[in-house]
Amino acid sequence: MTLPGGTVTFLFTDIEGSTRLLQELGDDYGRVVGDHRRLLREVFQAAGGNEVDTQGDAFFYSFPRARDAVRAAVQGQRALASHEWPGDAPVRVRMGLHTGEPTVGDEGYVGLDVVRAARICSAGHGGQILISETTRALLGNDLPERVSVRDLGQQHLKDVQHEHVYELSLDESQAEFPPLKVAQQSGGDTVEERFEQRINQYVEQQLEAALSGSAPTPGRRAKRGCLLALALLAAPIVAIVLLVQLAT
């Protein structure tokens, strides 16, 4: 298969909670995966998609046009939602899309755009469609029927730093999704971080006071040893006091 080059839109999908479904359904889980693959392949290929890779319950497709990729994702979610699953299992698939200009190598697509699309997908929840800012810009106002766009703002994705993420909301879906599963930034301003910083500062100050001065004499060495021991012993007590102060 020859993969399209130039500007392409990647679409990643995977079943949320697949391990739980496997435990609940047992042998019927094989039917779930088979039906899931058949439904999405029919929709994605009809929209002009190219199957780049398939692993277990996950798909990786590329599309020459962003609008076709978005339409495929929407139609895929609708096909999954209307399907009768074994044991009425709640099969929910998350999808992520990103448009870029990757390199096409001997083993397929290479570049950060592939990683970005995969991270956008993994940040979502079952039944959710997430798109990058680039895909959103190319989509413009040409939305599929009964679909709206929700701005989720700037997100901190693993490995790719910041990405402005949007959600495609299907009018017939009443699902309210939890916050995206993204990397938490450390601003050093949480109670725990301030607490740890102040404890470290206290201990460092005490150690510096204990170890500073002129060349050590036997008396000074004994005094510094006592101060060092007191600093280490006092640290837990100060920790408790500071924790109470920070919490109030």
Side-chain angles (χ1 to χ4, degrees), residues 5-19:
T7 301
V8 296
T9 298
F10 294 130
L11 169 57
F12 277 86
T13 79
D14 78 309
I15 298 177
E16 183 182 53
S18 56
T19 302

Side-chain angles (χ1 to χ4, degrees), residues 30-52:
R31 288 177 52 199
V32 167
V33 174
D35 288 355
H36 151 265
R37 287 180 178 174
R38 175 179 55 81
L39 291 169
L40 292 187
R41 276 196 176 113
E42 289 176 356
V43 170
F44 292 172
Q45 291 174 5
N50 299 274
E51 186 173 326
V52 182

Side-chain angles (χ1 to χ4, degrees), residues 47-214:
N50 299 274
E51 186 173 326
V52 182
D53 192 15
T54 304
Q55 294 185 10
D57 53 17
F59 269 128
F60 175 22
Y61 265 75
S62 68
F63 294 79
R65 287 164 39 97
R67 291 178 177 86
D68 293 337
V70 167
R71 178 165 53 90
V74 170
Q75 292 179 349
Q77 289 289 16
R78 286 173 172 160
L80 294 168
S82 61
H83 185 69
E84 294 185 6
W85 298 99
D88 294 327
V91 178
R92 292 184 289 267
V93 176
R94 55 188 161 209
M95 302 184 180
L97 298 91
H98 171 63
T99 305
E101 297 182 347
T103 300
V104 183
D106 295 337
E107 301 298 325
Y109 290 109
V110 179
L112 188 60
D113 289 317
V114 179
V115 178
R116 191 175 297 273
R119 293 307 186 202
I120 291 174
C121 176
S122 63
H125 302 273
Q128 194 171 33
I129 304 174
L130 301 177
I131 64 175
S132 69
E133 186 171 22
T134 308
T135 304
R136 173 68 186 99
L138 292 172
L139 183 60
N141 294 323
D142 190 8
L143 295 171
E145 186 178 356
R146 296 180 293 118
V147 172
S148 58
V149 178
R150 181 185 173 207
D151 188 345
L152 300 182
Q154 197 89 339
Q155 303 293 334
H156 188 70
L157 304 179
K158 182 181 179 182
D159 300 328
V160 294
Q161 298 299 322
H162 295 291
E163 175 64 49
H164 205 120
V165 178
Y166 298 83
E167 177 190 326
L168 297 179
S169 301
L170 282 61
D171 290 353
E172 69 272 19
S173 175
Q174 302 299 318
E176 293 186 4
F177 300 104
L180 298 185
K181 294 176 285 187
V182 296
Q184 297 298 318
Q185 290 180 274
S186 178
D189 196 36
T190 65
V191 171
E192 293 82 1
E193 288 169 327
R194 296 200 308 271
F195 169 72
E196 183 177 356
Q197 289 172 1
R198 292 177 66 174
I199 289 299
N200 289 338
Q201 290 171 0
Y202 171 81
V203 174
E204 288 171 0
Q205 290 170 359
Q206 297 305 311
L207 290 177
E208 183 178 356
L211 298 176
S212 63
S214 56

